[in-house]
Amino acid sequence: MIGSTRRAVLALPLLAPVAAQAFEPPPGSPLRREVLDALRPLTERELAPPIQYIVKGMNIDGDAAFVRATPQRLNGQKIDWHEFPFGRTIEAGGMSDEIMALLKFEGGVWRVKEYSFGATDVPWADWPRKHRIPDRLILDAFR
């Protein structure tokens, strides 16, 4: 066939990886307990055991977890800050009672990679870049 040309145009869909969504495991779930149990020894080292957490925000995305929490005693009592050298600093507003931590799931267990207790600023500001995690993992914990 002279002068006739057939062109086939293939339209291929763009294949992009689907981003996982950060989520907060529900209270009482095994996953939530595992993350908090991995964090607990660091907090108890500073505040003496036993402690539990009032979770203000927790997000998990793949193998990374971010936690914002306030510690308290197991019976629900607030921590008596007068028992610790930094108690006056907390009362004066120079230190918060909040814990923030970044954990990674490695070798079958959650491991604390970053930990901050008492910050009044944003100790996590460079954590996403340093640990190659999505910003939303942390930012969504403040909603």
Side-chain angles (χ1 to χ4, degrees):
M1 299 178 132
I2 300 173
S4 115
T5 311
R6 289 189 91 182
R7 291 188 181 175
V9 178
L10 295 175
L12 296 175
L14 294 176
L15 300 177
V18 176
Q21 294 295 315
F23 69 96
E24 181 172 349
S29 69
L31 180 55
R32 187 180 184 107
R33 193 169 22 260
E34 287 174 20
V35 170
L36 294 175
D37 284 349
L39 178 58
R40 198 175 320 282
L42 289 173
T43 308
E44 288 182 341
R45 194 173 321 144
E46 296 201 54
L47 301 177
I51 62 104
Q52 64 184 25
Y53 296 105
I54 299 170
V55 175
K56 295 180 174 182
M58 175 190 280
N59 281 318
I60 296 179
D61 186 350
D63 66 350
F66 177 76
V67 178
R68 284 183 57 227
T70 301
Q72 68 179 15
R73 296 294 173 210
L74 291 181
N75 58 8
Q77 284 186 314
K78 291 186 178 248
I79 303 290
D80 181 0
W81 299 114
H82 292 87
E83 296 177 16
F84 304 97
F86 47 79
R88 286 191 177 151
T89 306
I90 287 178
E91 285 181 345
M95 184 176 171
S96 78
D97 63 352
E98 191 168 273
I99 289 162
M100 293 180 226
L102 175 70
L103 300 91
K104 292 282 229 156
F105 193 73
E106 299 173 337
V109 296
W110 287 99
R111 298 181 193 280
V112 178
K113 295 299 182 177
E114 301 283 352
Y115 177 80
S116 173
F117 170 61
T120 57
D121 58 1
V122 288
W124 47 264
D126 68 336
W127 296 356
R129 181 186 48 75
K130 183 177 174 184
H131 295 280
R132 298 177 185 197
I133 59 169
D135 291 341
R136 74 176 183 281
L137 178 72
I138 294 173
L139 297 176
D140 287 354
F142 289 89
R143 291 179 186 216

